[in-house]
Amino acid sequence: DCTELSLDQVVSLDAGTLKGRVSRSRLVVVHSLELDDAGESGVGPMVFDQVIQKLRAAWKLLREVDVRRFVMTSDHGFLLLEGIRRPPEAQGRKTDPDRRHVLTRNAAIEPGRLRVPLGELGYVGGEGVFLVMSETTNVFDRGARQTSFVHGGNSLQERVVPVLSVLHRSAPGASAGRYRIVAERGDAVAGMHRVTGQVELLLANQMSLSFAQAKNVDIVLRVASGSTGQVEVVQSSSGATVVASSTLRVEVGRRFEVFFRISGAAQERVQLELAHTGGALEVDAAIVSDWFEAAVVVRDPVPVAPSVAQSVAQNTGQSAGQSSWLEVVNPEYRSVYERLATHGVVEESEVARLLGGPRQARRFGNDIDKDRARLPFALRVEQGEAGKRWVREGGGR
């Protein structure tokens, strides 16, 4: 009677498959650790908004398959201490406390501390044990590097559990049409990337009236699968309104322009995907064929990013909704680019062998600038005794 799904599973399923998974269940449990994992990894603020968008998308997708009653909750909250530079407080040995509390049998009252017997808090078997916390939001010194995401103890964030209940009284309406997002890269401005695009009505339901079509569609900007960068929308033109750090509300049928930055934990080139945030509308996503440079953001601790070789390997294969980068480069030079993606370097003699002769190799050297923006890696040219060689920057040899 119960179906268990992760948040990623829900948002990755189409409506028909999702309905088949949940239609016979009296209870569907959807779980996610992304908020907590991101916070503990030191990259919380970079991904919190995206996780909230995924939660909203899962709600709408389940609503579409006629789930009407929802209960949304979490196990605890947290404190985000960004910008607060207070040193941690000493509390006995550094192995005694957790970040925000310590359990002790010492009944002495210390300045700046709150001390409560566990028995008074209703804990069984806590006779003679006291819960000690700081009177402030500061953390205890455990000898570890401090992060801005903290929780624990008998704090408000741990004791108050948020619960949001939603009841839909009617069945969801059918989609009034099918839409698609089209987008292309524009010239960068003031250190910001730029993309222009449009949401088009691809197929109208013949039984629906024109006023029943969607006037606006919410789309999220994110890096395509296989990369770890985060997108931050800075500004948009008429036709699109910024509603969150990576989300736009776009007017259907009207051209829009958006300026954004991409940041990550490692130097990499990524592709940009524009997708519907989820719901009853059927919207085909768009992946911009050109590649964008991600600015390196060093955080503490630094999250582990896939290597360039892994990123290239993931992006050379085809997946649902994503075309291979090799499909958009000059087909005459694909064999050279494949060798660069695999080995990281190619000599001029190898280019000549792959393309059919020295003249073709010289033409490749003259034409390569036309493909640079479409490659998932940066290139540099070196001059050696045996001639030119092209080297993939980042990872590899």
mmCIF file of all heavy atoms in Angstrom, residues 5-25:
data_model
loop_
_atom_site.group_PDB
_atom_site.id
_atom_site.type_symbol
_atom_site.label_atom_id
_atom_site.label_comp_id
_atom_site.label_asym_id
_atom_site.label_seq_id
_atom_site.Cartn_x
_atom_site.Cartn_y
_atom_site.Cartn_z
ATOM 1 N N LEU A 5 9.746 6.773 -3.077
ATOM 2 C CA LEU A 5 10.506 7.315 -4.194
ATOM 3 C C LEU A 5 11.410 8.429 -3.684
ATOM 4 O O LEU A 5 11.056 9.147 -2.749
ATOM 5 C CB LEU A 5 9.575 7.895 -5.275
ATOM 6 C CG LEU A 5 8.620 6.924 -5.981
ATOM 7 C CD1 LEU A 5 7.596 7.715 -6.788
ATOM 8 C CD2 LEU A 5 9.389 5.989 -6.899
ATOM 9 N N SER A 6 12.558 8.590 -4.318
ATOM 10 C CA SER A 6 13.393 9.749 -4.006
ATOM 11 C C SER A 6 12.876 10.952 -4.785
ATOM 12 O O SER A 6 12.143 10.813 -5.778
ATOM 13 C CB SER A 6 14.855 9.481 -4.374
ATOM 14 O OG SER A 6 15.010 9.429 -5.777
ATOM 15 N N LEU A 7 13.274 12.132 -4.351
ATOM 16 C CA LEU A 7 12.870 13.354 -5.052
ATOM 17 C C LEU A 7 13.355 13.326 -6.493
ATOM 18 O O LEU A 7 12.612 13.705 -7.423
ATOM 19 C CB LEU A 7 13.422 14.577 -4.313
ATOM 20 C CG LEU A 7 13.117 15.940 -4.913
ATOM 21 C CD1 LEU A 7 11.622 16.189 -4.969
ATOM 22 C CD2 LEU A 7 13.813 17.042 -4.110
ATOM 23 N N ASP A 8 14.595 12.891 -6.727
ATOM 24 C CA ASP A 8 15.131 12.835 -8.088
ATOM 25 C C ASP A 8 14.346 11.859 -8.961
ATOM 26 O O ASP A 8 14.150 12.100 -10.153
ATOM 27 C CB ASP A 8 16.605 12.427 -8.062
ATOM 28 C CG ASP A 8 17.517 13.588 -7.696
ATOM 29 O OD1 ASP A 8 17.107 14.741 -7.919
ATOM 30 O OD2 ASP A 8 18.621 13.335 -7.183
ATOM 31 N N GLN A 9 13.893 10.746 -8.370
ATOM 32 C CA GLN A 9 13.095 9.797 -9.140
ATOM 33 C C GLN A 9 11.791 10.428 -9.610
ATOM 34 O O GLN A 9 11.381 10.248 -10.759
ATOM 35 C CB GLN A 9 12.808 8.555 -8.300
ATOM 36 C CG GLN A 9 13.989 7.612 -8.131
ATOM 37 C CD GLN A 9 13.649 6.430 -7.240
ATOM 38 O OE1 GLN A 9 13.123 6.595 -6.143
ATOM 39 N NE2 GLN A 9 13.945 5.231 -7.718
ATOM 40 N N VAL A 10 11.130 11.167 -8.728
ATOM 41 C CA VAL A 10 9.839 11.760 -9.084
ATOM 42 C C VAL A 10 9.994 12.732 -10.241
ATOM 43 O O VAL A 10 9.250 12.687 -11.225
ATOM 44 C CB VAL A 10 9.205 12.464 -7.864
ATOM 45 C CG1 VAL A 10 7.940 13.216 -8.277
ATOM 46 C CG2 VAL A 10 8.870 11.456 -6.781
ATOM 47 N N VAL A 11 10.968 13.655 -10.138
ATOM 48 C CA VAL A 11 11.088 14.694 -11.168
ATOM 49 C C VAL A 11 11.655 14.154 -12.474
ATOM 50 O O VAL A 11 11.585 14.835 -13.498
ATOM 51 C CB VAL A 11 11.946 15.879 -10.661
ATOM 52 C CG1 VAL A 11 11.300 16.535 -9.456
ATOM 53 C CG2 VAL A 11 13.363 15.429 -10.324
ATOM 54 N N SER A 12 12.204 12.934 -12.469
ATOM 55 C CA SER A 12 12.760 12.373 -13.696
ATOM 56 C C SER A 12 11.743 11.533 -14.467
ATOM 57 O O SER A 12 11.985 11.172 -15.615
ATOM 58 C CB SER A 12 13.990 11.511 -13.382
ATOM 59 O OG SER A 12 13.623 10.350 -12.640
ATOM 60 N N LEU A 13 10.595 11.203 -13.843
ATOM 61 C CA LEU A 13 9.600 10.342 -14.482
ATOM 62 C C LEU A 13 8.592 11.169 -15.262
ATOM 63 O O LEU A 13 8.223 12.268 -14.836
ATOM 64 C CB LEU A 13 8.872 9.494 -13.436
ATOM 65 C CG LEU A 13 9.716 8.489 -12.641
ATOM 66 C CD1 LEU A 13 8.863 7.818 -11.564
ATOM 67 C CD2 LEU A 13 10.310 7.433 -13.564
ATOM 68 N N ASP A 14 8.136 10.638 -16.390
ATOM 69 C CA ASP A 14 7.037 11.291 -17.096
ATOM 70 C C ASP A 14 5.727 10.942 -16.397
ATOM 71 O O ASP A 14 5.661 10.041 -15.542
ATOM 72 C CB ASP A 14 7.005 10.855 -18.559
ATOM 73 C CG ASP A 14 6.814 9.346 -18.713
ATOM 74 O OD1 ASP A 14 5.667 8.882 -18.569
ATOM 75 O OD2 ASP A 14 7.814 8.637 -18.954
ATOM 76 N N ALA A 15 4.669 11.670 -16.746
ATOM 77 C CA ALA A 15 3.400 11.526 -16.035
ATOM 78 C C ALA A 15 2.850 10.105 -16.107
ATOM 79 O O ALA A 15 2.336 9.569 -15.118
ATOM 80 C CB ALA A 15 2.380 12.525 -16.587
ATOM 81 N N GLY A 16 2.977 9.468 -17.281
ATOM 82 C CA GLY A 16 2.432 8.119 -17.425
ATOM 83 C C GLY A 16 3.141 7.107 -16.540
ATOM 84 O O GLY A 16 2.502 6.287 -15.877
ATOM 85 N N THR A 17 4.480 7.167 -16.518
ATOM 86 C CA THR A 17 5.246 6.238 -15.685
ATOM 87 C C THR A 17 4.988 6.497 -14.203
ATOM 88 O O THR A 17 4.832 5.567 -13.411
ATOM 89 C CB THR A 17 6.753 6.371 -15.984
ATOM 90 O OG1 THR A 17 6.975 6.174 -17.376
ATOM 91 C CG2 THR A 17 7.555 5.347 -15.194
ATOM 92 N N LEU A 18 4.957 7.777 -13.831
ATOM 93 C CA LEU A 18 4.717 8.121 -12.429
ATOM 94 C C LEU A 18 3.340 7.639 -11.982
ATOM 95 O O LEU A 18 3.196 7.104 -10.872
ATOM 96 C CB LEU A 18 4.840 9.638 -12.241
ATOM 97 C CG LEU A 18 4.681 10.163 -10.808
ATOM 98 C CD1 LEU A 18 5.742 9.568 -9.891
ATOM 99 C CD2 LEU A 18 4.757 11.684 -10.785
ATOM 100 N N LYS A 19 2.356 7.798 -12.825
ATOM 101 C CA LYS A 19 1.007 7.351 -12.463
ATOM 102 C C LYS A 19 0.978 5.841 -12.252
ATOM 103 O O LYS A 19 0.324 5.334 -11.331
ATOM 104 C CB LYS A 19 0.012 7.752 -13.545
ATOM 105 C CG LYS A 19 -1.442 7.479 -13.165
ATOM 106 C CD LYS A 19 -2.405 8.100 -14.155
ATOM 107 C CE LYS A 19 -3.846 7.903 -13.688
ATOM 108 N NZ LYS A 19 -4.814 8.566 -14.599
ATOM 109 N N GLY A 20 1.714 5.103 -13.099
ATOM 110 C CA GLY A 20 1.780 3.661 -12.928
ATOM 111 C C GLY A 20 2.437 3.255 -11.620
ATOM 112 O O GLY A 20 2.077 2.231 -11.017
ATOM 113 N N ARG A 21 3.391 4.057 -11.133
ATOM 114 C CA ARG A 21 4.091 3.731 -9.891
ATOM 115 C C ARG A 21 3.229 4.001 -8.654
ATOM 116 O O ARG A 21 3.380 3.326 -7.636
ATOM 117 C CB ARG A 21 5.387 4.555 -9.787
ATOM 118 C CG ARG A 21 6.436 4.231 -10.851
ATOM 119 C CD ARG A 21 7.122 2.901 -10.585
ATOM 120 N NE ARG A 21 7.849 2.903 -9.340
ATOM 121 C CZ ARG A 21 9.119 3.276 -9.210
ATOM 122 N NH1 ARG A 21 9.775 3.714 -10.275
ATOM 123 N NH2 ARG A 21 9.732 3.214 -8.056
ATOM 124 N N VAL A 22 2.350 5.006 -8.721
ATOM 125 C CA VAL A 22 1.659 5.437 -7.497
ATOM 126 C C VAL A 22 0.157 5.174 -7.497
ATOM 127 O O VAL A 22 -0.490 5.332 -6.459
ATOM 128 C CB VAL A 22 1.890 6.944 -7.253
ATOM 129 C CG1 VAL A 22 3.376 7.267 -7.246
ATOM 130 C CG2 VAL A 22 1.161 7.813 -8.274
ATOM 131 N N SER A 23 -0.421 4.756 -8.625
ATOM 132 C CA SER A 23 -1.884 4.702 -8.733
ATOM 133 C C SER A 23 -2.518 3.720 -7.757
ATOM 134 O O SER A 23 -3.658 3.913 -7.334
ATOM 135 C CB SER A 23 -2.291 4.354 -10.167
ATOM 136 O OG SER A 23 -1.757 3.096 -10.549
ATOM 137 N N ARG A 24 -1.814 2.655 -7.372
ATOM 138 C CA ARG A 24 -2.394 1.655 -6.468
ATOM 139 C C ARG A 24 -1.941 1.827 -5.022
ATOM 140 O O ARG A 24 -2.221 0.973 -4.178
ATOM 141 C CB ARG A 24 -2.026 0.252 -6.956
ATOM 142 C CG ARG A 24 -2.599 -0.077 -8.326
ATOM 143 C CD ARG A 24 -2.323 -1.518 -8.713
ATOM 144 N NE ARG A 24 -2.874 -1.837 -10.017
ATOM 145 C CZ ARG A 24 -2.821 -3.043 -10.575
ATOM 146 N NH1 ARG A 24 -2.219 -4.044 -9.923
ATOM 147 N NH2 ARG A 24 -3.344 -3.253 -11.769
ATOM 148 N N SER A 25 -1.254 2.906 -4.756
ATOM 149 C CA SER A 25 -0.732 3.122 -3.404
ATOM 150 C C SER A 25 -1.646 4.052 -2.621
ATOM 151 O O SER A 25 -2.138 5.052 -3.143
ATOM 152 C CB SER A 25 0.672 3.737 -3.468
ATOM 153 O OG SER A 25 1.554 2.886 -4.163
#
